[in-house]
């Protein structure tokens, strides 16, 4: 997990030289012997912005017979029987879960049936989004109506001292 969650560059290899430029030292020298690069702070930000993926865009794109809507895809994707799965056909589509099943999956709550009679199915009849209404209901139930304060993230300030 640590390897896959790490960033594209390590801050340990980044230092500021006397002229205000940033020197990034590689962990291993390149094939031509280069051990590091010198960049201005703006150039570093340009390089970092170039490797950030666009939102809602897949990083891997399949073409040809592996493309999602290819007519030949069904011929090359193994069936569950070929994969060694016993039993009936396995649904490989995206699961469509009802709203009541989602809290059960996440919080281990049974929301599909009425907790009092254990028979009828529950349905959403209203969604309260107005803060004043929610506060009045919580106060009537004698519950905390003010959320706890959000603790700011702890950041090592010396990491960002080079940004002016």
């Amino acid at each position: 997990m640590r390897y896959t969650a790490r960033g594209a560059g390590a801050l340990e290899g980044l230092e500021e030289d006397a002229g205000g430029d940033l020197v990034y030292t590689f962990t291993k020298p390149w094939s031509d012997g280069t051990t590091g690069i010198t960049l201005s702070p703006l150039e570093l930000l340009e390089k970092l912005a170039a490797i950030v993926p666009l939102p809602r865009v897949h990083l891997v794109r399949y073409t040809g017979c592996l493309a999602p809507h290819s007519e030949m895809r069904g011929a090359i994707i193994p069936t569950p029987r070929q994969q060694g799965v016993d039993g009936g056909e396995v649904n490989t589509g995206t699961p469509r879960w009802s709203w009541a099943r989602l809290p059960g999956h996440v919080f281990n709550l049974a929301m599909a049936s009425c907790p009092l009679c254990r028979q009828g199915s529950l349905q959403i009849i209203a969604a309260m989004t107005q803060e004043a209404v929610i506060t009045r209901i919580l106060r009537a139930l004698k519950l905390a109506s003010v959320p706890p304060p959000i603790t700011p993230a702890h950041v090592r300030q010396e990491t960002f001292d080079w940004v002016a």
Side-chain angles (χ1 to χ4, degrees):
M1 178 68 184
R2 188 178 300 151
Y3 175 76
T4 58
R6 71 180 178 86
L11 289 177
E12 291 81 22
L14 189 63
E15 296 177 4
E16 186 176 5
D17 66 1
D21 287 337
L22 301 171
V23 178
Y24 185 74
T25 308
F26 304 138
T27 54
K28 295 179 183 176
W30 285 355
S31 60
D32 64 352
T34 306
T35 59
I37 55 173
T38 303
L39 303 166
S40 70
L42 186 58
E43 288 174 329
L44 177 66
L45 290 176
E46 288 174 353
K47 300 235 182 269
L48 291 175
I51 62 173
V52 174
L54 295 172
R56 295 175 299 281
V57 174
H58 295 289
L59 299 180
V60 178
R61 296 184 183 195
Y62 294 101
T63 60
C65 59
L66 292 176
H69 297 289
S70 171
E71 294 176 6
M72 295 173 44
R73 185 177 171 90
I76 62 166
I77 301 296
T79 64
R81 186 174 189 190
Q82 291 170 336
Q83 293 177 358
V85 178
D86 292 332
E89 286 294 318
V90 177
N91 184 8
T92 58
T94 305
R96 300 283 181 208
W97 288 9
S98 67
W99 70 271
R101 190 171 168 200
L102 290 174
H105 181 71
V106 176
F107 302 110
N108 198 18
L109 298 173
M111 298 291 295
S113 60
C114 176
L116 301 174
C117 67
R118 305 272 185 218
Q119 294 176 12
S121 63
L122 299 178
Q123 296 178 347
I124 295 177
I125 57 171
M128 292 172 269
T129 58
Q130 298 165 339
E131 183 179 357
V133 175
I134 295 170
T135 303
R136 286 179 49 200
I137 292 172
L138 290 173
R139 284 185 184 159
L141 295 172
K142 295 185 174 129
L143 297 173
S145 61
V146 178
I150 297 174
T151 306
H154 300 286
V155 178
R156 293 188 343 223
Q157 186 58 40
E158 66 272 5
T159 303
F160 302 104
D161 286 341
W162 54 270
V163 177

